[in-house]
Amino acid sequence: GGGGSSGQSGACVPFEVTITADYWPKENTWTVENTKSGEVIAEGENDLLIPGEAVKYPVECINDKLGCYMFTIKDSGGDGMCCEHGSGSYTAKYDGEVIKTGSSFYDDEKVPFGLCGVSEAPTASPQKDTVSSGTSAGGIAFRCVPKPLIQGGYMISVDKCMNFVDCYNPHINIGDDWFCDEDAECVEAPKCNGVEEEAGSSTEAGGSYRCVAKELADKGYAVSKEKCDFFDPCYNTFIKEGDQFFCNE
């Protein structure tokens, strides 16, 4: 990673990046740019990245808390960090708050942070969230969900929160479609605001997923190839894994 900030002097505001690389870690880099001057004030290379392992970069100091910045994560392969070549992901934090987390994108993904479009510094700290990557003052999280899933009444469960891009905009205290791809919308995700719930009972069977009665799942039941057709499929093509949403209660 690279160095500090330009602009007004002040106390160090920590900026942190954690990356879990897919099978091609050499494709991933990131930068932080001062949107006013265009200067890159921090950056992260891929020398330390290891496929499948969470690597936390050294904390960067941003000394001008009144500045507006742009975080950009890049993938030179143009296929993001998930899911055809491993389940990679990233998280960026500013002043202890998650500003962006994601995995599925193409060449790059960007998010502005800091004091962007605001005339003076905030007087109160944003509400911290114990589990989700961002919530409104009312405690509601937001995630980008593909439009076909929304049309089908899809609701994100706790164990699937990290599979969807966080689209909470802390500067306006609400979800924002700007953070989503064109084929997705930013919707409320109440299950992602720190509420614990029972793990789902979708079960993998020979590379596919099937809905299994909780009583059987709790006993460690494994669906055999011969019995696959007797269980309803629950594979979510958008997040490329099994999803409890498609199973009965």
Side-chain angles (χ1 to χ4, degrees):
S5 171
S6 62
Q8 300 179 25
S9 61
C12 171
V13 182
F15 182 82
E16 306 167 70
V17 175
T18 301
I19 292 180
T20 300
D22 61 9
Y23 300 146
W24 303 102
K26 294 299 182 183
E27 295 180 347
N28 300 129
T29 57
W30 59 267
T31 60
V32 173
E33 177 184 325
N34 184 312
T35 59
K36 184 177 181 179
S37 67
E39 178 189 1
V40 173
I41 62 172
E43 58 187 346
E45 300 300 330
N46 45 39
D47 298 340
L48 301 177
L49 296 180
I50 302 172
E53 293 189 20
V55 174
K56 185 174 181 179
Y57 286 80
V59 176
E60 299 284 352
C61 260
I62 295 182
N63 297 323
D64 181 9
K65 196 169 185 178
L66 300 182
C68 176
Y69 308 97
M70 180 70 73
F71 169 72
T72 302
I73 186 163
K74 302 175 182 179
D75 186 276
S76 61
D79 56 359
M81 306 171 72
C82 183
C83 296
E84 294 182 4
H85 304 293
S87 299
S89 63
Y90 71 90
T91 299
K93 291 183 178 181
Y94 178 61
D95 201 13
E97 297 289 332
V98 175
I99 60 168
K100 188 69 173 174
T101 183
S103 56
S104 299
F105 57 97
Y106 294 105
D107 297 307
D108 59 49
E109 196 158 51
K110 302 173 181 285
V111 60
F113 67 95
L115 210 62
C116 302
V118 182
S119 59
E120 58 182 324
T123 56
S125 299
Q127 176 179 340
K128 291 186 180 292
D129 179 28
T130 57
V131 174
S132 74
S133 55
T135 62
S136 68
I140 299 298
F142 294 86
R143 295 292 187 275
C144 295
V145 177
K147 293 177 181 178
L149 286 181
I150 294 175
Q151 293 167 0
Y154 185 82
M155 294 293 291
I156 301 175
S157 59
V158 169
D159 61 315
K160 295 294 182 289
C161 289
M162 296 305 293
N163 294 95
F164 295 88
V165 174
D166 175 19
C167 54
Y168 169 65
N169 188 331
H171 304 290
I172 59 176
N173 196 36
I174 197 171
D176 194 333
D177 286 335
W178 186 86
F179 299 105
C180 305
D181 294 332
E182 292 184 1
D183 59 350
E185 293 181 6
C186 186
V187 299
E188 290 188 3
K191 295 293 181 65
C192 299
N193 66 357
V195 178
E196 298 289 340
E197 80 169 14
E198 181 182 357
S201 58
S202 60
T203 300
E204 185 173 3
S208 62
Y209 292 83
R210 293 293 185 269
C211 295
V212 175
K214 290 182 179 179
E215 181 180 355
L216 289 177
D218 291 342
K219 294 180 179 179
Y221 183 83
V223 180
S224 63
K225 291 184 178 179
E226 295 79 13
K227 297 294 189 297
C228 279
D229 291 340
F230 291 93
F231 297 87
D232 292 331
C234 55
Y235 179 69
N236 188 328
T237 57
F238 296 98
I239 60 175
K240 295 181 172 59
E241 65 176 55
D243 197 327
Q244 179 69 17
F245 172 80
F246 300 104
C247 302
N248 295 325
E249 293 185 1

